[in-house]
């Protein structure tokens, strides 16, 4: 936009200069509106205004030509902006760390580079300046990341710019001179394009000082010499490398397999293994590699001899894997007698190790399954395998001592010393045990440092919480676990109990005092109902009950016989406005009063502790409401019902 403003500000002395200035401005606009950059919408609007100000007829054709290109650039910009906004442009170029921020920045740059490689702008494939620019931008922040350097050089090589890829590797080695990965990658590039001397110098730089040379550098240089200079050059260097203090059994194994697989010379490979056996007889892995080589030769006689030699010299703890391979070999090449004999020898030899420490508990079924299985085929189900693997783990760990105090306290323990058996993941061994000392068994009579609150106190608190929402706060303050500093009386704070007791009606207090003791979280409802019906609680006249007599305008007060359900008819008041409808209403009110009187009469009579009879009585009482006559109840103790219907 500044460049366009500069072009517009240039003076024009004549028409030719004016035309040249307009052409330069038009080219700048046309290049800007097809580039996904910031404020591309504003640039397009300015370009439209510019073309319309020059010539409307010419503007129509030019704008229709550049409209699709502008739409594509705008879409690319919107997608590109999502990747660019994830990048922290203030990040410092530091070595890789495990922080989440650094990892997220690495991911953000990877996404941006992948987006640019997809060529969303449909740029000519021969012009990769934008991708190069993105890589250079990325290296300003991820300068110490070897994978970014490798991706950059590999992309240059695939694009056909081998010299540019070499320069990238050279810059990478200056930034990360200790990176063996980049040196191997650089040597591979030089070898692939035929520059063998440059590649050899890189391998020799990896060898460096003999004391600091790694075993892997020896092996890779032997392979390089075998590929490019022949067998003799590789053999000569192997003879020198075996004298190096950094030479391990890996060099012998690598050269022997190379002679066997590439040179097709099993005799040389056998001699190399035998030479290494004199020096590395104490290495179980070397024994197993030698056994695999002999298995390829189908030389079962020498394999048995090798196992016998190795097991006679190896320590007991280091011979476990060799014994396993020996038993597998006998299962493949031996007969039944040799199989059983080797398995028995293995148990006897490893009886004192952790592998076979609990031989008394070890089941022989595992040996049977091992003998009659092949690859991923088993003579049992997956459930059986899981069960047997658990038994194997138990047999190996049952004899291990555990701190009894830790077990009694239930503290969290993590068994890190045990090793996972076959088929059992190591994550299952990290068992976190709960702290049982903090557990409280449900028993109202065994609270720590407190006595059990009485049934009346507990019930009053429960009832007050239902009738008064503020009582919940009082109950929380009385909880000995939530507030241990409050002085406790019968398990409840004295102040809270006094306030609740004052707010409780006398009838409710009498009802709660008569509740029985219960065990567990829920009482027997039938027993509670029978006790409630037996007790005689003080009654309180409600306003509705006391106002009923005063509301009657005429006639005497109803007698007791009227309330008890006799067949006498009520006198009709002398009011002339009294109608049959009013008479029916009076009967309905009398019937309601009768039911209330009946409930009071039944409650005042002693009842049996028979839940079934009480339920039958209640059902009969409910059925009397639908009858037109009156019902007189018999003795509540016998539960007999009698009634007369008018």
């Amino acid at each position: 936009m500044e460049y366009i403003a500069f072009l517009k500000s240039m003076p024009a002395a004549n028409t030719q200069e004016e035309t040249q200035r307009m052409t330069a401005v038009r080219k700048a606009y046309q290049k800007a509106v097809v580039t996904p950059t910031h404020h591309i919408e504003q640039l397009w609007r300015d370009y439209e205004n510019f073309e319309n100000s020059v010539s409307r007829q010419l503007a129509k054709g030019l704008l229709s030509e550049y409209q699709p290109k502008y739409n594509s650039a705008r879409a690319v910009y919107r997608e590109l902006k999502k990747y660019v906004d994830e990048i922290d442009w203030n990040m410092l170029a530091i070595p890789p760390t495990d922080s989440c921020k650094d990892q997220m920045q690495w991911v953000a740059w990877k996404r941006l580079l992948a987006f640019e490689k997809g060529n969303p702008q449909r740029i000519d494939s021969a012009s990769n300046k934008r991708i190069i620019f993105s890589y250079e931008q990325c290296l300003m922040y991820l300068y110490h990341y070897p994978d970014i350097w490798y991706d950059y050089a590999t992309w240059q090589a695939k694009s056909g710019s081998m010299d540019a890829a070499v320069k990238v590797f050279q810059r990478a080695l200056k930034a990360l001179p200790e990176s063996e990965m980049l040196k191997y990658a650089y040597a591979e590039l030089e070898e692939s394009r035929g520059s063998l001397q440059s590649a050899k110098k890189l391998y020799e730089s990896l060898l460096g000082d003999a004391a600091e040379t790694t075993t892997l550098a020896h092996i890779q240089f032997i392979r390089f010499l075998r590929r490019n200079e022949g067998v003799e050059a590789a053999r000569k260097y192997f003879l020198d490398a075996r004298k190096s203090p950094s030479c391990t059994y890996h060099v012998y194994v690598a050269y022997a397999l190379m002679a066997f697989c590439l040179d097709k010379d099993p005799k040389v490979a056998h001699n190399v293994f035998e030479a290494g056996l004199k020096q590395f007889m104490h290495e179980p892995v070397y024994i197993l590699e030698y056994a695999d080589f002999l298995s390829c030769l189908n030389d079962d006689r020498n394999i048995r001899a090798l196992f016998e030699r190795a097991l006679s010299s190896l320590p007991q703890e280091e011979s476990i894997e060799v014994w396993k391979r020996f038993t597998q070999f006998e299962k493949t090449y031996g007969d039944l007698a040799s199989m059983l004999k080797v398995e028995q020898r293995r148990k006897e030899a490893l009886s004192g190790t952790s592998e076979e420490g609990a031989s008394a508990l070890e089941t022989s079924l595992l040996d049977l399954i091992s003998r009659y299985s092949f690859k991923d085929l088993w003579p049992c189900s997956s459930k059986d395998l899981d069960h047997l693997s658990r038994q194997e783990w138990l047999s190996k760990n049952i004899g291990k001592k555990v701190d009894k105090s830790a077990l009694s306290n239930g503290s969290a323990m993590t068994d890190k010393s045990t090793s996972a058996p076959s088929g059992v993941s190591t994550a299952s061994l990290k068992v976190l045990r709960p702290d049982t000392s903090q557990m409280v068994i449900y028993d109202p009579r065994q609270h720590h440092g407190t006595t059990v609150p009485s049934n009346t106190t507990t019930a009053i608190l429960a009832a007050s919480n239902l009738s008064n929402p503020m009582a919940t706060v009082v109950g929380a303050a009385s909880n000995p676990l939530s507030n241990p500093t409050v002085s406790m009386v019968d398990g409840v704070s004295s102040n809270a109990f006094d306030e609740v007791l004052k707010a409780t009606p006398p009838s409710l207090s009498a009802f709660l005092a008569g509740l029985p003791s219960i065990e567990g979280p829920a009482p027997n409802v039938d027993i509670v109902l029978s006790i409630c019906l037996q007790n005689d609680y003080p009654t309180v006249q409600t306003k509705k009950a006391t106002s009923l007599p005063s509301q009657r305008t005429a006639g005497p007060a109803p007698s007791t016989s009227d309330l008890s359900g006799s067949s006498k008819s009520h006198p009709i008041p002398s009011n002339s406005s009294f109608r049959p409808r009013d008479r029916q209403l009076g009967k309905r009110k009398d019937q309601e009063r009768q039911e209330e009187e009946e409930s009071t009469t039944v409650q005042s009579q002693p009842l049996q502790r028979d839940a079934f009879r009480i339920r039958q009585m209640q059902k009969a009482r409910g059925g009397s409401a639908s009858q037109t006559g009156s019902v007189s109840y018999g003795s509540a103790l016998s539960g007999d019902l009698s009634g007369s219907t008018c």
Side-chain angles (χ1 to χ4, degrees):
M1 296 175 74
E2 292 178 356
Y3 178 59
I4 293 172
F6 167 74
L7 293 177
K8 290 181 178 180
S9 64
M10 291 180 61
N14 49 45
T15 306
Q16 184 177 2
E17 292 180 358
E18 179 67 21
T19 304
Q20 293 177 354
R21 186 182 67 175
M22 291 298 177
T23 304
V25 172
R26 180 178 288 110
K27 289 182 179 180
Y29 269 122
Q30 291 175 352
K31 187 175 182 180
V33 296
V34 298
T35 304
T37 184
H38 297 291
H39 306 291
I40 188 172
E41 294 89 353
Q42 183 63 37
L43 285 169
W44 176 255
R45 288 192 294 267
D46 294 344
Y47 178 53
E48 286 182 330
N49 296 332
F50 169 76
E51 291 292 355
N52 290 324
S53 64
V54 175
S55 174
R56 289 187 174 273
Q57 295 181 354
L58 182 61
K60 186 176 181 180
L62 292 175
L63 292 176
S64 61
E65 178 184 355
Y66 279 87
Q67 181 76 36
K69 299 179 182 179
Y70 157 72
N71 292 334
S72 177
R74 184 178 60 177
V76 171
Y77 165 72
R78 291 178 179 176
E79 188 175 0
L80 178 62
K81 190 175 184 298
K82 296 186 297 185
Y83 299 105
V84 173
D85 290 344
E86 296 178 355
I87 296 174
D88 181 11
W89 300 99
N90 296 321
M91 177 182 175
L92 297 177
I94 60 176
T97 62
D98 294 334
S99 66
C100 181
K101 181 180 179 181
D102 291 350
Q103 294 177 3
M104 292 304 297
Q105 286 301 301
W106 178 85
V107 172
W109 277 109
K110 281 284 190 177
R111 290 176 179 174
L112 178 60
L113 292 172
F115 176 76
E116 293 291 351
K117 288 179 182 178
N119 194 16
Q121 304 177 53
R122 308 295 188 270
I123 302 176
D124 186 6
S125 59
S127 177
N128 296 320
K129 295 181 180 180
R130 188 171 183 86
I131 301 176
I132 296 173
F133 173 75
S134 299
Y135 268 114
E136 294 294 339
Q137 266 191 327
C138 179
L139 290 173
M140 293 176 66
Y141 300 92
L142 306 182
Y143 186 73
H144 299 279
Y145 285 69
D147 58 319
I148 301 297
W149 288 104
Y150 178 74
D151 290 345
Y152 188 16
T154 304
W155 176 80
Q156 291 280 22
K158 290 181 179 179
S159 300
S161 304
M162 298 298 294
D163 295 335
V166 170
K167 292 180 180 179
V168 171
F169 273 123
Q170 292 175 353
R171 291 171 56 193
L173 292 178
K174 289 181 180 179
L176 303 170
E178 303 298 329
S179 177
E180 293 186 11
M181 299 181 292
L182 293 177
K183 290 182 180 179
Y184 284 125
Y186 186 19
E188 184 181 82
L189 177 66
E190 294 288 5
E191 184 180 357
S192 63
R193 69 174 192 158
S195 183
L196 300 180
Q197 293 300 321
S198 299
K200 189 174 183 179
K201 288 181 180 179
L202 288 169
Y203 280 109
E204 291 175 350
S205 67
L206 286 167
L207 297 173
D209 189 4
E212 299 179 357
T213 303
T214 61
T215 302
L216 183 60
H218 288 302
I219 296 174
Q220 296 301 332
F221 191 48
I222 291 174
R223 291 180 175 178
F224 171 78
L225 293 175
R226 170 64 181 79
R227 288 195 302 266
N228 298 283
E229 297 183 10
V231 179
E232 290 299 325
R235 179 177 176 275
K236 182 179 179 180
Y237 182 78
F238 167 71
L239 296 176
D240 295 337
R242 60 185 294 190
K243 302 175 184 178
S244 174
S246 60
C247 179
T248 62
Y249 71 89
H250 303 83
V251 178
Y252 284 84
V253 174
Y255 183 73
L257 294 179
M258 185 179 63
F260 177 65
C261 299
L262 299 179
D263 302 337
K264 312 298 181 184
D265 194 343
K267 185 177 180 180
V268 174
H270 188 273
N271 294 336
V272 172
F273 272 116
E274 283 294 329
L277 192 63
K278 299 176 183 178
Q279 187 177 356
F280 302 106
M281 178 65 78
H282 62 282
E283 292 288 348
V285 181
Y286 184 78
I287 303 299
L288 299 179
E289 291 289 344
Y290 191 8
D292 290 339
F293 165 73
L294 294 176
S295 298
C296 295
L297 298 178
N298 202 19
D299 191 355
D300 58 332
R301 183 176 181 181
N302 283 329
I303 293 176
R304 288 190 176 92
L306 173 64
F307 282 131
E308 296 293 345
R309 290 167 58 189
L311 292 173
S312 62
S313 60
L314 283 174
Q316 191 180 39
E317 293 290 341
E318 297 180 2
S319 62
I320 297 175
E321 294 298 328
V322 179
W323 274 113
K324 287 183 179 180
R325 186 65 64 86
F326 194 11
T327 54
Q328 291 176 2
F329 167 76
E330 290 295 343
K331 292 168 188 174
T332 305
Y333 293 91
D335 52 11
L336 182 60
S338 62
M339 279 193 294
L340 298 178
K341 183 178 179 181
V342 170
E343 286 181 359
Q344 185 63 29
R345 287 179 57 192
R346 172 177 173 267
K347 291 181 181 180
E348 294 175 356
L350 302 179
S351 59
T353 62
S354 59
E355 177 73 13
E356 302 290 338
S359 58
L361 296 176
E362 184 177 0
T363 174
S364 60
L365 193 58
L366 286 174
D367 300 331
L368 180 67
I369 292 175
S370 179
R371 285 196 297 269
Y372 291 96
S373 61
F374 181 76
K375 300 295 183 181
D376 58 343
L377 303 177
W378 303 89
C380 59
S381 63
S382 59
K383 277 188 177 181
D384 296 334
L385 282 177
D386 182 64
H387 177 68
L388 291 174
S389 64
R390 294 177 186 275
Q391 286 185 338
E392 180 186 7
W393 184 84
L394 286 174
S395 65
K396 292 177 182 178
N397 296 276
I398 191 110
K400 295 189 176 180
K401 295 181 179 180
V402 183
D403 189 5
K404 295 183 179 179
S405 62
L407 287 177
S408 61
N409 293 333
S411 58
M413 297 173 59
T414 304
D415 189 2
K416 297 181 180 178
S417 61
T418 58
S419 59
S422 58
V424 180
S425 63
T426 57
S428 62
L429 300 180
K430 298 181 180 179
V431 181
L432 297 179
R433 295 180 173 85
D435 188 358
T436 55
S437 62
Q438 302 296 328
M439 294 182 179
V440 179
I441 301 175
Y442 178 76
D443 191 350
R445 296 164 294 183
Q446 295 181 2
H447 283 292
H448 296 287
T450 61
T451 59
V452 183
S454 62
N455 297 327
T456 305
T457 305
T458 307
I460 288 174
L461 286 175
S464 62
N465 288 339
L466 294 176
S467 60
N468 185 7
M470 291 301 296
T472 307
V473 180
V474 178
S478 65
N479 189 355
L481 296 179
S482 62
N483 191 4
T485 60
V486 181
S487 62
M488 305 300 294
V489 177
D490 290 337
V492 186
S493 65
S494 58
N495 296 334
F497 175 74
D498 294 340
E499 294 181 2
V500 172
L501 194 60
K502 291 178 182 179
T504 305
S507 58
L508 180 59
S509 300
F511 167 73
L512 296 176
L515 291 178
S517 300
I518 62 173
E519 294 183 0
N524 190 330
V525 181
D526 296 331
I527 295 177
V528 174
L529 288 175
S530 63
I531 293 175
C532 292
L533 293 175
Q534 290 178 18
N535 294 333
D536 187 11
Y537 302 113
T539 60
V540 178
Q541 294 291 337
T542 60
K543 295 181 179 180
K544 181 178 179 180
T546 57
S547 62
L548 283 174
S550 61
Q551 290 177 358
R552 302 181 63 87
T553 57
S559 63
T560 307
S561 61
D562 296 333
L563 295 175
S564 60
S566 63
S567 59
K568 293 180 180 181
S569 61
H570 297 282
I572 301 175
S574 58
N575 191 356
S576 60
S577 62
F578 187 83
R579 293 185 298 271
R581 182 178 180 182
D582 298 334
R583 183 177 181 180
Q584 294 177 0
L585 181 61
K587 286 185 178 182
R588 186 179 304 169
K589 291 183 179 180
D590 293 340
Q591 188 176 0
E592 292 176 358
R593 292 173 57 197
Q594 176 185 355
E595 291 176 358
E596 292 178 0
E597 184 66 20
E598 288 172 355
S599 63
T600 305
T601 305
V602 172
Q603 288 184 0
S604 63
Q605 296 176 356
L607 296 177
Q608 289 186 4
R609 293 178 177 266
D610 192 338
F612 177 77
R613 289 176 177 257
I614 292 173
R615 288 178 179 173
Q616 295 294 330
M617 184 174 60
Q618 291 175 349
K619 290 180 180 179
R621 186 191 308 166
S624 65
S626 60
Q627 296 177 359
T628 58
S630 62
V631 179
S632 64
Y633 289 90
S635 174
L637 293 173
S638 62
D640 297 331
L641 301 175
S642 63
S644 60
T645 306
C646 296

